Every structure is written in structure tokens, then in C-alpha cells.
Amino acid sequence: MTDLTTPTRADRQDGHLKPPAISFEFFPPKTEDMERNLWETINRLAPLDPKFVSVTYGAGGSTRERTHATIARILKETALLPAAHLTCVGASRGEIDEIVDRYHEVGVRHIVALRGDPAGGIGTPYASHPDGYQNSADLVAGIKKRHADIEVSVSAYPEKHPEARDFDSDIDTLKAKVDAGATRAITQVFFDNDLYFRYLDRVRARGINIPIVPGIMPMHNFKQARNFVTRAGTTVPDWFAAKFEGLDDDAETRKLVAATVAAGQVQKLAKHGVETFHFYTMNRADLVFAISHLLGIRAKSAQKAA
């Protein structure tokens, strides 16, 4: 794995590894309580100076307006750079183009372009809109054609996309997204770092040289999170699950274990040269803040989110 050698002296500051770059994912709130919690989370994490923060977008545009409202508020009230998620599901090209134009108009210059899950949910057949973008590469090309100054990130799958025939076809899809103009890929959650390293080898062997940013999810509620990630094709190793045994009714210990496990994963990745991480926060700040601290990232007290 020639791309992931032990960091050199140039990668160190005062004898320590340089802190990596980080970014955070949030989801748009459904209620006033969720809105308050989201902004408490943003206020807590903003001083860590993330490279960007992304806001998710529901299947078929089910959160379209809430996503837009959250992005607009981040732009208005914070110094953070927001990235808006956008999918192909359930919308015509004209509708999606209008959404892209609205984002551009309010100042968004980064979109996370995704095909999106089937309207019937993960595991059901996917059907593209007859007048819509047919896949994520098509969507990337459409965004770049309308607004060349918008940066586009896409998804990547260390265990391959659940619908992909095999790894080669899955990497073909990633290559098509890069050829269409994507400049960063963020991975699906994984818990075995070897999966990421092997995937990176495959990607680099295909001549894909954009950053492949590990997506990290601290497991605040292990049972819920496991059900969610396994539906999306992520393997939860037995050794990982064993760390949460007997903790179903012990939230405090579970939180400590989750932080320890996730921190160990990112520290090992960092020691092997990974310089950027994307955290799926689940709109919670505590574990992500602690893990970032362990990575050497310190809050900038002068920076306030709102």
C-alpha cells in the first residue's frame, strides 16, 4: 500500500503528528427541540474549525426545505462553509437544477451529490425519474455544467455499494463521478481499517487520485446504529460488537466505549497517513468533540458559531 506509508518528519509538528483536517455531517431538524439540539451541536463543534459541514437531504426530497433552511442559517449566522446534500431521487432535471440555482444564489459553493436511496427504502429496486438525472455521475455533470464554481463531493464504498455487481463495477461508478467533475469522495461508514486501505489501493490502481475521505460514525446507540449501517452494506465485525455487549441499559458506559473505539480507529488511520476525516455526527457533539481532541484538534476560543 504505497499511498499509506508512515508519516515523515515533514508531517509532524514539534515531534507530533499534525492534526488532520475534519468535516462534519448534520441532518435537518424536524421539530423545535431537534432544531435547538442541532444548534447546540453546531455551537460546540464550530470552534474546531472544520473544513466544511454537510447537511443531508431525504429520499425524494422529503427534507428539501428543511435542508435549505438549515444551510441558509449556517451561512447567515456562522463562519462555517456548508455543503448541501443533493440526490437524484423523485425529481426532474428541472427541479434539481432549480435547487442547485437556489443554493448558488444564497452562497453555497459545495454540494455532496448522491444518487440517493430507492423511494421504497434500502433493499427495494431503484427507479430513476423519467425526466431526471439517471445516476450520481449524471448529477455531478449537471451541477458542474450549471455552476463550474461549485465543488462537488461524492460517495465511496470500501465494501462496495450494496447494488454493485462487484468491486470493479463499483469503482467504475466512482471513476465516472470523478470524470464528471467530482473532486472528493467521502466513504460509507466502515469499522475495519483494512477495508479502507484495500479499497484505496484499488481506487489508486484505477488512476483515481482525488481524496478518499474516511467517513466515521461514533456509535452513540449501538443497536440502532448497527441496524442502520448494516442496511447500507456496512459490516459490523464480531470483535466490534463484543465491545458493546451488556451495555444496552448503560448509556454512560456505552458512550465511553463508543468514544474509545472510534478514537482508536481514527488514530490508527492517522498514523498510517490519513489526513482528513468526515464525522457522521448524528447531530450530537460530545463524542465527536472528544475524538477530535484526541486527534490533536483544539477549539479556537475566538471563533463562535452564532
Side-chain angles (χ1 to χ4, degrees), residues 42-80:
I42 290 173
N43 284 332
R44 175 75 165 140
L45 295 178
L48 297 177
D49 197 23
K51 189 179 181 74
F52 64 89
V53 296
S54 67
V55 181
T56 63
Y57 180 91
S62 59
T63 63
R64 182 181 302 169
E65 292 307 317
R66 286 187 279 122
T67 299
H68 192 278
T70 302
I71 289 280
R73 185 175 172 186
I74 289 171
L75 279 166
K76 181 179 179 182
E77 298 183 15
T78 83
L80 299 171

Side-chain angles (χ1 to χ4, degrees), residues 239-252:
W239 64 262
F240 186 96
K243 294 185 181 298
F244 293 89
E245 285 178 1
L247 298 179
D248 291 353
D249 300 317
D250 187 348
E252 285 303 308

Side-chain angles (χ1 to χ4, degrees), residues 3 7 75 78 103 109 125 153 158 162 170 175 177 183 197-198 212-213 218 234 245 259-260 267 280 293-294:
D3 290 86
L75 279 166
T78 83
Y103 278 132
R109 295 296 184 270
S153 295
D170 192 53
K175 182 71 163 58
K177 291 187 281 191
T183 55
F197 294 145
R198 287 197 293 267
I212 309 294
V213 180
T234 295
E245 285 178 1
T260 301
Q267 286 176 316
Y280 299 107
H293 183 89
L294 290 169

